[in-house]
Amino acid sequence: MKVSIIIPTYNGGELLEKCLKSIEAQDCFFAQKIIIDSSSKDNTLELAGRYGFETYVIDQKDFDHGGTRNEALGKVTSDIVVYMTQDAILETSKAVSHLIEAFRDPDVDAVYGRQLPHLDANYLAKYARINSYKDLDYTTSLNDEFPIGFRKAFMSNSFAAYRVVSLRELGGFPSKLILGEDSFVAAKTLLKGRKVSYKASAVARHSHNYTISQEFKRYFDIGVFHKSQSWMLDSLGRVEGEGIKFALGQIKYLWKMKVYTLIPLSLLMSFAKFSGYKLGKNYNKLSTRLNIKLSMHKGYFKG
């Protein structure tokens, strides 16, 4: 199988260089390496050229999580396409090889890899990765018992791969989503009767040390996504109590790590996520001006 890789970028900086170095170190051959850049003002394009990437530049205001990735997909001539984000760093030289092993199953159309926290991640960011990315592989279809509900469509384009012909048959990634273009495609894949896979041996470092305000805005956007794409929850099912389970698990983790002073912050973060999500689920009842203020991805409401 021929493999290509696509990375959307904007002012990638030091993390982008680490990302590109980790790609260069992979033991597999890439038929194409593509960067689609949102008019960076730093040395992103110079770095891309140095590491052998084709570069395509778009206006910053035209960036769209799904549409931009779809634009890059139109340039791909390979069987498999790997998507990464500029702040993800592959952990080993076999990360991509392990990821695309999933396509040995002819029914698998999408796969995502495991994410470990960056080395400078705080305890809250570490737990977020520990909770979401376990050390056991799985492959799932719509009728499989694991994972349950909406979790079946969990996918992260920070490090994921797709069967190109199948992705194109779905219409690629949709434009005009606030986020979640990866989960959207995973859900469509499952509803088509195909499979989604997770490879724990395919590891990248990727995490964010979000502030309370950033977590609020991120979960506001997740609420908007779930409201605007309610068919996903209706088709796959809701996973009740996940927020409470995560909040309690994080407190237990902080207690275990003996960082007791972070427990109040953890509680505040959980409240910010809950309130942001609830507001996002009701974004259609709010003014455009307020939605822009509450959102992390403000361009969604400006367009």
Side-chain angles (χ1 to χ4, degrees):
M1 295 183 294
K2 291 183 178 179
V3 181
S4 297
I5 188 164
I6 292 173
I7 310 173
T9 58
Y10 178 67
N11 291 345
E14 182 182 346
L15 274 180
L16 174 62
E17 183 161 18
K18 290 179 179 179
C19 170
L20 299 183
K21 281 183 178 179
S22 72
I23 292 168
E24 187 177 58
Q26 294 304 295
D27 67 355
C28 67
F29 171 77
F30 294 102
Q32 291 170 282
K33 297 191 292 184
I34 298 171
I35 275 179
I36 185 159
D37 182 71
S38 299
S39 300
S40 289
K41 298 174 177 64
D42 65 356
N43 66 337
T44 290
L45 293 178
E46 186 271 326
L47 281 173
R50 190 193 307 169
Y51 286 93
F53 277 74
E54 306 169 42
T55 56
Y56 301 90
V57 179
I58 61 172
D59 195 293
Q60 185 183 351
K61 65 178 176 58
D62 294 330
F63 174 80
D64 177 90
H65 286 286
T68 299
R69 286 177 170 88
N70 220 32
E71 184 175 341
L73 178 65
K75 306 177 189 306
V76 166
T77 59
S78 61
D79 307 294
I80 303 298
V81 60
V82 176
Y83 281 91
M84 290 182 64
T85 51
Q86 65 183 22
D87 57 346
I89 304 167
L90 301 176
E91 182 74 349
T92 73
S93 62
K94 294 186 177 295
V96 172
S97 294
H98 287 315
L99 187 71
I100 63 176
E101 282 174 1
F103 296 111
R104 291 178 180 173
D105 182 337
D107 294 327
V108 169
D109 280 348
V111 56
Y112 70 103
R114 188 180 186 187
Q115 294 181 26
L116 297 180
H118 283 304
L119 299 179
D120 65 348
N122 61 34
Y123 282 101
L124 301 186
K126 287 178 181 178
Y127 180 74
R129 289 300 178 262
I130 291 170
N131 180 74
S132 295
Y133 298 91
K134 309 299 185 184
D135 59 359
L136 293 176
D137 295 356
Y138 70 79
T139 296
T140 191
S141 68
L142 194 61
N143 298 319
D144 286 323
E145 294 183 0
F146 181 86
I148 61 171
F150 191 76
R151 180 73 192 186
K152 279 185 181 295
F154 187 88
M155 179 71 56
S156 175
N157 272 345
S158 287
F159 185 37
Y162 302 85
R163 202 180 295 273
V164 171
V165 65
S166 300
L167 182 55
R168 285 177 172 155
E169 285 174 358
L170 292 176
F173 297 105
S175 299
K176 305 304 179 185
L177 282 184
I178 193 165
L179 46 71
E181 80 291 337
D182 34 23
S183 290
F184 181 102
V185 165
K188 288 286 189 181
T189 296
L190 292 166
L191 290 172
K192 191 181 175 183
R194 305 287 288 172
K195 295 179 181 180
V196 170
S197 188
Y198 168 65
K199 294 292 289 184
S201 58
V203 181
R205 296 241 171 220
H206 178 251
S207 59
H208 298 281
N209 292 330
Y210 285 131
T211 64
I212 292 174
S213 173
Q214 288 171 325
E215 285 285 32
F216 174 90
K217 292 179 178 181
R218 188 168 73 93
Y219 272 79
F220 176 84
D221 289 351
I222 292 172
V224 172
F225 173 61
H226 287 178
K227 177 67 175 180
S228 65
Q229 305 298 319
S230 57
W231 64 269
M232 294 174 66
L233 293 167
D234 294 340
S235 300
L236 299 174
R238 290 160 170 77
V239 183
E240 302 297 339
E242 281 297 300
I244 294 174
K245 182 180 177 182
F246 179 91
L248 293 175
Q250 188 169 75
I251 290 171
K252 289 179 182 177
Y253 170 74
L254 295 174
W255 189 271
K256 179 181 178 181
M257 302 306 294
K258 298 181 180 180
V259 282
Y260 311 116
T261 56
L262 291 181
I263 290 175
L265 177 60
S266 173
L267 292 169
L268 286 172
M269 286 285 197
S270 295
F271 178 75
K273 292 176 182 178
F274 174 79
S275 55
Y277 181 77
K278 289 296 184 182
L279 278 169
K281 287 274 283 186
N282 289 280
Y283 80 97
N284 56 317
K285 300 175 184 177
L286 307 177
S287 68
T288 300
R289 183 178 179 181
L290 183 55
N291 281 328
I292 290 172
K293 186 174 182 180
L294 298 178
S295 174
M296 181 176 278
H297 300 97
K298 302 180 186 300
Y300 176 79
F301 296 103
K302 292 178 179 178

